[in-house]
PDB file of all heavy atoms in Angstrom:
ATOM      1  N   LEU A 589      -0.239   3.151  18.106  1.00 87.00           N
ATOM      2  CA  LEU A 589       0.975   3.578  17.410  1.00 87.00           C
ATOM      3  C   LEU A 589       1.628   2.418  16.678  1.00 87.00           C
ATOM      4  O   LEU A 589       2.055   2.557  15.519  1.00 87.00           O
ATOM      5  CB  LEU A 589       1.949   4.196  18.411  1.00 87.00           C
ATOM      6  CG  LEU A 589       3.293   4.686  17.850  1.00 87.00           C
ATOM      7  CD1 LEU A 589       3.076   5.826  16.878  1.00 87.00           C
ATOM      8  CD2 LEU A 589       4.212   5.110  18.972  1.00 87.00           C
ATOM      9  N   VAL A 590       1.690   1.253  17.321  1.00 87.00           N
ATOM     10  CA  VAL A 590       2.322   0.097  16.691  1.00 87.00           C
ATOM     11  C   VAL A 590       1.483  -0.417  15.529  1.00 87.00           C
ATOM     12  O   VAL A 590       1.995  -0.699  14.438  1.00 87.00           O
ATOM     13  CB  VAL A 590       2.561  -1.014  17.732  1.00 87.00           C
ATOM     14  CG1 VAL A 590       3.041  -2.293  17.055  1.00 87.00           C
ATOM     15  CG2 VAL A 590       3.576  -0.556  18.764  1.00 87.00           C
ATOM     16  N   LEU A 591       0.166  -0.528  15.728  1.00 87.00           N
ATOM     17  CA  LEU A 591      -0.691  -1.120  14.689  1.00 87.00           C
ATOM     18  C   LEU A 591      -0.850  -0.193  13.487  1.00 87.00           C
ATOM     19  O   LEU A 591      -0.791  -0.640  12.339  1.00 87.00           O
ATOM     20  CB  LEU A 591      -2.057  -1.458  15.278  1.00 87.00           C
ATOM     21  CG  LEU A 591      -2.077  -2.578  16.316  1.00 87.00           C
ATOM     22  CD1 LEU A 591      -3.481  -2.755  16.873  1.00 87.00           C
ATOM     23  CD2 LEU A 591      -1.579  -3.875  15.722  1.00 87.00           C
ATOM     24  N   VAL A 592      -1.061   1.101  13.748  1.00 85.00           N
ATOM     25  CA  VAL A 592      -1.356   2.031  12.654  1.00 85.00           C
ATOM     26  C   VAL A 592      -0.088   2.467  11.941  1.00 85.00           C
ATOM     27  O   VAL A 592       0.051   2.322  10.720  1.00 85.00           O
ATOM     28  CB  VAL A 592      -2.141   3.250  13.183  1.00 85.00           C
ATOM     29  CG1 VAL A 592      -2.343   4.275  12.078  1.00 85.00           C
ATOM     30  CG2 VAL A 592      -3.477   2.807  13.746  1.00 85.00           C
ATOM     31  N   TYR A 593       0.870   2.996  12.694  1.00 84.00           N
ATOM     32  CA  TYR A 593       2.053   3.566  12.060  1.00 84.00           C
ATOM     33  C   TYR A 593       3.044   2.489  11.616  1.00 84.00           C
ATOM     34  O   TYR A 593       3.506   2.493  10.474  1.00 84.00           O
ATOM     35  CB  TYR A 593       2.735   4.561  13.002  1.00 84.00           C
ATOM     36  CG  TYR A 593       2.017   5.879  13.076  1.00 84.00           C
ATOM     37  CD1 TYR A 593       1.023   6.101  14.018  1.00 84.00           C
ATOM     38  CD2 TYR A 593       2.315   6.887  12.186  1.00 84.00           C
ATOM     39  CE1 TYR A 593       0.350   7.312  14.075  1.00 84.00           C
ATOM     40  CE2 TYR A 593       1.650   8.103  12.239  1.00 84.00           C
ATOM     41  CZ  TYR A 593       0.673   8.297  13.191  1.00 84.00           C
ATOM     42  OH  TYR A 593       0.020   9.500  13.236  1.00 84.00           O
ATOM     43  N   VAL A 594       3.379   1.571  12.531  1.00 82.00           N
ATOM     44  CA  VAL A 594       4.339   0.529  12.172  1.00 82.00           C
ATOM     45  C   VAL A 594       3.715  -0.493  11.234  1.00 82.00           C
ATOM     46  O   VAL A 594       4.325  -0.916  10.254  1.00 82.00           O
ATOM     47  CB  VAL A 594       4.882  -0.156  13.436  1.00 82.00           C
ATOM     48  CG1 VAL A 594       5.862  -1.264  13.072  1.00 82.00           C
ATOM     49  CG2 VAL A 594       5.571   0.862  14.332  1.00 82.00           C
ATOM     50  N   GLY A 595       2.462  -0.875  11.497  1.00 81.00           N
ATOM     51  CA  GLY A 595       1.844  -1.920  10.694  1.00 81.00           C
ATOM     52  C   GLY A 595       1.309  -1.464   9.366  1.00 81.00           C
ATOM     53  O   GLY A 595       1.173  -2.274   8.443  1.00 81.00           O
ATOM     54  N   ALA A 596       0.996  -0.192   9.196  1.00 79.00           N
ATOM     55  CA  ALA A 596       0.384   0.270   7.948  1.00 79.00           C
ATOM     56  C   ALA A 596       1.213   1.352   7.272  1.00 79.00           C
ATOM     57  O   ALA A 596       1.646   1.203   6.126  1.00 79.00           O
ATOM     58  CB  ALA A 596      -1.035   0.791   8.224  1.00 79.00           C
ATOM     59  N   VAL A 597       1.460   2.439   7.975  1.00 79.00           N
ATOM     60  CA  VAL A 597       2.117   3.589   7.353  1.00 79.00           C
ATOM     61  C   VAL A 597       3.563   3.266   6.989  1.00 79.00           C
ATOM     62  O   VAL A 597       4.018   3.539   5.869  1.00 79.00           O
ATOM     63  CB  VAL A 597       2.043   4.813   8.287  1.00 79.00           C
ATOM     64  CG1 VAL A 597       2.799   5.988   7.686  1.00 79.00           C
ATOM     65  CG2 VAL A 597       0.596   5.182   8.553  1.00 79.00           C
ATOM     66  N   MET A 598       4.308   2.646   7.891  1.00 80.00           N
ATOM     67  CA  MET A 598       5.708   2.370   7.617  1.00 80.00           C
ATOM     68  C   MET A 598       5.872   1.287   6.560  1.00 80.00           C
ATOM     69  O   MET A 598       6.838   1.302   5.794  1.00 80.00           O
ATOM     70  CB  MET A 598       6.433   1.970   8.896  1.00 80.00           C
ATOM     71  CG  MET A 598       6.687   3.140   9.821  1.00 80.00           C
ATOM     72  SD  MET A 598       7.426   4.557   8.973  1.00 80.00           S
ATOM     73  CE  MET A 598       8.850   3.829   8.210  1.00 80.00           C
ATOM     74  N   VAL A 599       4.958   0.325   6.521  1.00 79.00           N
ATOM     75  CA  VAL A 599       5.009  -0.672   5.444  1.00 79.00           C
ATOM     76  C   VAL A 599       4.812   0.009   4.090  1.00 79.00           C
ATOM     77  O   VAL A 599       5.496  -0.301   3.105  1.00 79.00           O
ATOM     78  CB  VAL A 599       3.958  -1.762   5.680  1.00 79.00           C
ATOM     79  CG1 VAL A 599       3.884  -2.697   4.486  1.00 79.00           C
ATOM     80  CG2 VAL A 599       4.288  -2.557   6.930  1.00 79.00           C
ATOM     81  N   LEU A 600       3.894   0.957   4.043  1.00 78.00           N
ATOM     82  CA  LEU A 600       3.689   1.715   2.806  1.00 78.00           C
ATOM     83  C   LEU A 600       4.922   2.529   2.448  1.00 78.00           C
ATOM     84  O   LEU A 600       5.333   2.583   1.278  1.00 78.00           O
ATOM     85  CB  LEU A 600       2.476   2.634   2.959  1.00 78.00           C
ATOM     86  CG  LEU A 600       2.118   3.518   1.764  1.00 78.00           C
ATOM     87  CD1 LEU A 600       1.772   2.672   0.547  1.00 78.00           C
ATOM     88  CD2 LEU A 600       0.961   4.442   2.113  1.00 78.00           C
ATOM     89  N   PHE A 601       5.550   3.164   3.430  1.00 78.00           N
ATOM     90  CA  PHE A 601       6.778   3.919   3.178  1.00 78.00           C
ATOM     91  C   PHE A 601       7.869   3.015   2.606  1.00 78.00           C
ATOM     92  O   PHE A 601       8.565   3.380   1.659  1.00 78.00           O
ATOM     93  CB  PHE A 601       7.269   4.575   4.465  1.00 78.00           C
ATOM     94  CG  PHE A 601       6.506   5.817   4.843  1.00 78.00           C
ATOM     95  CD1 PHE A 601       6.801   6.497   6.018  1.00 78.00           C
ATOM     96  CD2 PHE A 601       5.502   6.296   4.037  1.00 78.00           C
ATOM     97  CE1 PHE A 601       6.105   7.638   6.362  1.00 78.00           C
ATOM     98  CE2 PHE A 601       4.789   7.438   4.378  1.00 78.00           C
ATOM     99  CZ  PHE A 601       5.090   8.107   5.540  1.00 78.00           C
ATOM    100  N   LEU A 602       8.036   1.825   3.192  1.00 77.00           N
ATOM    101  CA  LEU A 602       9.071   0.918   2.720  1.00 77.00           C
ATOM    102  C   LEU A 602       8.809   0.455   1.296  1.00 77.00           C
ATOM    103  O   LEU A 602       9.728   0.356   0.480  1.00 77.00           O
ATOM    104  CB  LEU A 602       9.167  -0.285   3.668  1.00 77.00           C
ATOM    105  CG  LEU A 602       9.869  -0.033   5.009  1.00 77.00           C
ATOM    106  CD1 LEU A 602       9.785  -1.260   5.884  1.00 77.00           C
ATOM    107  CD2 LEU A 602      11.326   0.342   4.784  1.00 77.00           C
ATOM    108  N   PHE A 603       7.543   0.170   0.979  1.00 78.00           N
ATOM    109  CA  PHE A 603       7.213  -0.237  -0.387  1.00 78.00           C
ATOM    110  C   PHE A 603       7.534   0.880  -1.373  1.00 78.00           C
ATOM    111  O   PHE A 603       8.102   0.639  -2.448  1.00 78.00           O
ATOM    112  CB  PHE A 603       5.732  -0.620  -0.485  1.00 78.00           C
ATOM    113  CG  PHE A 603       5.479  -2.067  -0.197  1.00 78.00           C
ATOM    114  CD1 PHE A 603       4.779  -2.444   0.934  1.00 78.00           C
ATOM    115  CD2 PHE A 603       5.930  -3.055  -1.057  1.00 78.00           C
ATOM    116  CE1 PHE A 603       4.547  -3.783   1.211  1.00 78.00           C
ATOM    117  CE2 PHE A 603       5.699  -4.390  -0.793  1.00 78.00           C
ATOM    118  CZ  PHE A 603       5.012  -4.763   0.341  1.00 78.00           C
ATOM    119  N   VAL A 604       7.157   2.107  -1.026  1.00 74.00           N
ATOM    120  CA  VAL A 604       7.397   3.231  -1.936  1.00 74.00           C
ATOM    121  C   VAL A 604       8.887   3.479  -2.106  1.00 74.00           C
ATOM    122  O   VAL A 604       9.392   3.688  -3.219  1.00 74.00           O
ATOM    123  CB  VAL A 604       6.678   4.490  -1.421  1.00 74.00           C
ATOM    124  CG1 VAL A 604       7.082   5.707  -2.252  1.00 74.00           C
ATOM    125  CG2 VAL A 604       5.170   4.299  -1.463  1.00 74.00           C
ATOM    126  N   VAL A 605       9.637   3.453  -1.000  1.00 74.00           N
ATOM    127  CA  VAL A 605      11.070   3.726  -1.067  1.00 74.00           C
ATOM    128  C   VAL A 605      11.791   2.644  -1.864  1.00 74.00           C
ATOM    129  O   VAL A 605      12.683   2.929  -2.672  1.00 74.00           O
ATOM    130  CB  VAL A 605      11.647   3.848   0.356  1.00 74.00           C
ATOM    131  CG1 VAL A 605      13.170   3.842   0.321  1.00 74.00           C
ATOM    132  CG2 VAL A 605      11.157   5.124   1.019  1.00 74.00           C
ATOM    133  N   MET A 606      11.409   1.383  -1.662  1.00 73.00           N
ATOM    134  CA  MET A 606      12.087   0.290  -2.341  1.00 73.00           C
ATOM    135  C   MET A 606      11.673   0.177  -3.808  1.00 73.00           C
ATOM    136  O   MET A 606      12.418  -0.361  -4.626  1.00 73.00           O
ATOM    137  CB  MET A 606      11.820  -1.025  -1.611  1.00 73.00           C
ATOM    138  CG  MET A 606      12.387  -1.055  -0.204  1.00 73.00           C
ATOM    139  SD  MET A 606      12.024  -2.574   0.682  1.00 73.00           S
ATOM    140  CE  MET A 606      13.052  -3.725  -0.208  1.00 73.00           C
ATOM    141  N   MET A 607      10.476   0.671  -4.159  1.00 72.00           N
ATOM    142  CA  MET A 607      10.042   0.614  -5.551  1.00 72.00           C
ATOM    143  C   MET A 607      10.603   1.761  -6.382  1.00 72.00           C
ATOM    144  O   MET A 607      10.815   1.617  -7.586  1.00 72.00           O
ATOM    145  CB  MET A 607       8.510   0.631  -5.626  1.00 72.00           C
ATOM    146  CG  MET A 607       7.851  -0.659  -5.166  1.00 72.00           C
ATOM    147  SD  MET A 607       6.058  -0.557  -5.186  1.00 72.00           S
ATOM    148  CE  MET A 607       5.764  -0.303  -6.932  1.00 72.00           C
ATOM    149  N   LEU A 608      10.855   2.903  -5.747  1.00 69.00           N
ATOM    150  CA  LEU A 608      11.393   4.051  -6.484  1.00 69.00           C
ATOM    151  C   LEU A 608      12.884   3.871  -6.731  1.00 69.00           C
ATOM    152  O   LEU A 608      13.617   3.343  -5.892  1.00 69.00           O
ATOM    153  CB  LEU A 608      11.150   5.344  -5.705  1.00 69.00           C
ATOM    154  CG  LEU A 608       9.688   5.768  -5.541  1.00 69.00           C
ATOM    155  CD1 LEU A 608       9.609   7.022  -4.697  1.00 69.00           C
ATOM    156  CD2 LEU A 608       9.028   6.015  -6.894  1.00 69.00           C
ATOM    157  N   ASP A 609      13.322   4.322  -7.859  1.00 61.00           N
ATOM    158  CA  ASP A 609      14.742   4.269  -8.198  1.00 61.00           C
ATOM    159  C   ASP A 609      15.393   5.565  -7.728  1.00 61.00           C
ATOM    160  O   ASP A 609      15.527   6.537  -8.475  1.00 61.00           O
ATOM    161  CB  ASP A 609      14.913   4.083  -9.708  1.00 61.00           C
ATOM    162  CG  ASP A 609      16.370   3.838 -10.084  1.00 61.00           C
ATOM    163  OD1 ASP A 609      17.172   3.587  -9.157  1.00 61.00           O
ATOM    164  OD2 ASP A 609      16.692   3.907 -11.274  1.00 61.00           O
ATOM    165  N   ILE A 610      15.802   5.573  -6.464  1.00 62.00           N
ATOM    166  CA  ILE A 610      16.351   6.782  -5.850  1.00 62.00           C
ATOM    167  C   ILE A 610      17.859   6.822  -6.081  1.00 62.00           C
ATOM    168  O   ILE A 610      18.573   5.859  -5.797  1.00 62.00           O
ATOM    169  CB  ILE A 610      16.033   6.831  -4.350  1.00 62.00           C
ATOM    170  CG1 ILE A 610      14.518   6.822  -4.132  1.00 62.00           C
ATOM    171  CG2 ILE A 610      16.653   8.056  -3.699  1.00 62.00           C
ATOM    172  CD1 ILE A 610      14.121   6.776  -2.680  1.00 62.00           C
ATOM    173  N   ASN A 611      18.317   7.923  -6.594  1.00 60.00           N
ATOM    174  CA  ASN A 611      19.750   8.117  -6.819  1.00 60.00           C
ATOM    175  C   ASN A 611      20.390   8.600  -5.522  1.00 60.00           C
ATOM    176  O   ASN A 611      20.210   9.748  -5.102  1.00 60.00           O
ATOM    177  CB  ASN A 611      19.969   9.131  -7.943  1.00 60.00           C
ATOM    178  CG  ASN A 611      21.417   9.170  -8.394  1.00 60.00           C
ATOM    179  OD1 ASN A 611      22.266   8.452  -7.866  1.00 60.00           O
ATOM    180  ND2 ASN A 611      21.700  10.007  -9.372  1.00 60.00           N
ATOM    181  N   LEU A 612      21.136   7.721  -4.867  1.00 59.00           N
ATOM    182  CA  LEU A 612      21.738   8.062  -3.581  1.00 59.00           C
ATOM    183  C   LEU A 612      22.858   9.079  -3.718  1.00 59.00           C
ATOM    184  O   LEU A 612      23.161   9.806  -2.775  1.00 59.00           O
ATOM    185  CB  LEU A 612      22.272   6.791  -2.907  1.00 59.00           C
ATOM    186  CG  LEU A 612      21.218   5.726  -2.578  1.00 59.00           C
ATOM    187  CD1 LEU A 612      21.899   4.523  -1.948  1.00 59.00           C
ATOM    188  CD2 LEU A 612      20.156   6.283  -1.655  1.00 59.00           C
ATOM    189  N   THR A 613      23.473   9.139  -4.873  1.00 59.00           N
ATOM    190  CA  THR A 613      24.562  10.104  -5.066  1.00 59.00           C
ATOM    191  C   THR A 613      24.053  11.537  -4.969  1.00 59.00           C
ATOM    192  O   THR A 613      24.690  12.406  -4.364  1.00 59.00           O
ATOM    193  CB  THR A 613      25.226   9.873  -6.424  1.00 59.00           C
ATOM    194  OG1 THR A 613      25.632   8.502  -6.519  1.00 59.00           O
ATOM    195  CG2 THR A 613      26.427  10.771  -6.596  1.00 59.00           C
TER     196      THR A 613
END
């Protein structure tokens, strides 16, 4: 769980979320 989800999947989620211009409003 730590290696696959935290080390790979969540890093990918963070990259996608931080790269997208999400309108919080």
Side-chain angles (χ1 to χ4, degrees):
L589 179 64
V590 172
L591 293 177
V592 175
Y593 283 90
V594 179
V597 177
M598 286 311 306
V599 173
L600 179 62
F601 282 177
L602 284 175
F603 271 113
V604 172
V605 168
M606 296 178 70
M607 288 177 63
L608 294 177
D609 188 12
I610 300 176
N611 191 359
L612 298 179
T613 306

